[in-house]
Amino acid sequence: MNSKLSDARAEGKELPAVSWNLLPAVLVSGSAVLLFAFENSWGYAPLLTGLAASWLFDRAFARDLSLIAIGIAIVSSHSMRADLSWGNMLVMGTVLVAAVIVPYALSRWALRDHAVRFPSRHGQRWSTLEWCWLGAVLVLGWLLLPRYFITSGTYQNWPPVTEWHEIGRLFIGVNTVGIWDELFFMCVVFTLFRRHFSFWTANILQAIVFVSFLWELGYRSWGPALTIPFALVQAWIFSKTKSLAYVITVHLLFDLVVFLTIVHAHHRDWIPIFWY
């Protein structure tokens, strides 16, 4: 391990925003733009190049970067475009679970450092400010999401749902992916980058991967104007609260509005509660 980084961790000092490790980190995070946003297999070139370069600078960093790269590669093995067929949901769910479980298992049992964790505050109550933010999330979602989905036409990236079982699958899909987002992007990608970089460097690196995934999922057009701040704020909240349950709750409230908006957008006489 780089001795300076080791000393900084031991003394509780802030990690660097920029170091030689940043080059391979950018390559691996940037590979998600090609693999997810553009669905182009050329993304494996920067992914593998970044991994190879990381071993030249810091072996401890290379091990952590390998876990991130493995997760990205697993996710890239199957299209993440919205498809509510039972078969696709089963395959997609299996891939997403593997993208979290494999890095976790390797970290805990192969590398034996247990870096990938799912933090909880063990019964500590949420503060008044945290409860207020949950309410603000609903209000912001109600104000922003219908305008985004409907005026941009992005809702058409999700299939129209009419039957109750289709609506049910949409609800399950939206919320399941929302939970997975926090498990992977916060507990794996952000957490591993944060071991080697300052908060904002680690945050930007995870946001590149997060937003690229959301683009493939269907948040296109001017969606990044919403998803970039969302990814950055979620990591900030995760860092401050040390609570996976809280960031998942924030995400699920936002996704509740996403679900209602998509249903309304396809059937304008249904759920007429939005302003846009």
Side-chain angles (χ1 to χ4, degrees), residues 96-97 100 118 171-188 210 213-214 217 230 234 244-245 247-253 255:
L96 294 181
V97 169
V100 173
F118 309 104
F171 181 80
I172 292 170
V174 167
N175 286 278
T176 300
V177 172
I179 294 171
W180 177 86
D181 286 342
E182 304 306 326
L183 293 173
F184 183 67
F185 297 113
M186 296 301 112
C187 297
V188 178
F210 199 160
F213 173 82
L214 290 178
L217 191 63
F230 181 78
Q234 282 293 88
L244 175 61
V247 292
I248 286 178
T249 301
V250 171
H251 201 130
L252 291 183
L253 286 175
D255 280 350

Side-chain angles (χ1 to χ4, degrees), residues 5 7-16 194:
L5 293 184
D7 292 342
R9 291 174 198 162
E11 297 173 12
K13 294 180 180 178
E14 180 60 41
L15 292 167
R194 188 67 180 94

Side-chain angles (χ1 to χ4, degrees), residues 9-47:
R9 291 174 198 162
E11 297 173 12
K13 294 180 180 178
E14 180 60 41
L15 292 167
V18 178
S19 69
W20 283 111
N21 289 335
L22 185 59
L23 175 59
V26 168
L27 286 171
V28 169
S29 283
S31 71
V33 178
L34 289 173
L35 291 172
F36 299 160
F38 290 97
E39 299 179 73
N40 191 314
S41 59
W42 277 103
Y44 294 113
L47 184 76

Side-chain angles (χ1 to χ4, degrees), residues 250-262:
V250 171
H251 201 130
L252 291 183
L253 286 175
F254 208 71
D255 280 350
L256 173 62
V257 183
V258 169
F259 164 74
L260 295 174
T261 299
I262 292 173

Side-chain angles (χ1 to χ4, degrees), residues 83-164:
D83 178 348
L84 298 178
S85 65
W86 283 114
N88 180 72
M89 290 182 69
L90 177 61
V91 174
M92 183 174 171
T94 301
V95 168
L96 294 181
V97 169
V100 173
I101 293 298
V102 172
Y104 173 80
L106 290 173
S107 172
R108 181 165 187 176
W109 291 295
L111 301 179
R112 297 185 182 278
D113 64 359
H114 205 181
V116 178
R117 295 174 179 267
F118 309 104
S120 170
R121 294 197 306 209
H122 302 293
Q124 182 180 341
R125 293 183 178 182
W126 294 345
S127 68
T128 300
L129 180 60
E130 288 167 344
W131 280 106
C132 288
W133 178 242
L134 296 182
V137 166
L138 286 174
V139 173
L140 289 170
W142 180 81
L143 287 172
L144 298 174
L145 290 173
R147 183 168 296 275
Y148 160 61
F149 277 104
I150 294 173
T151 62
S152 69
T154 303
Y155 71 92
Q156 296 179 72
N157 292 331
W158 281 261
V161 290
T162 304
E163 301 296 330
W164 67 269

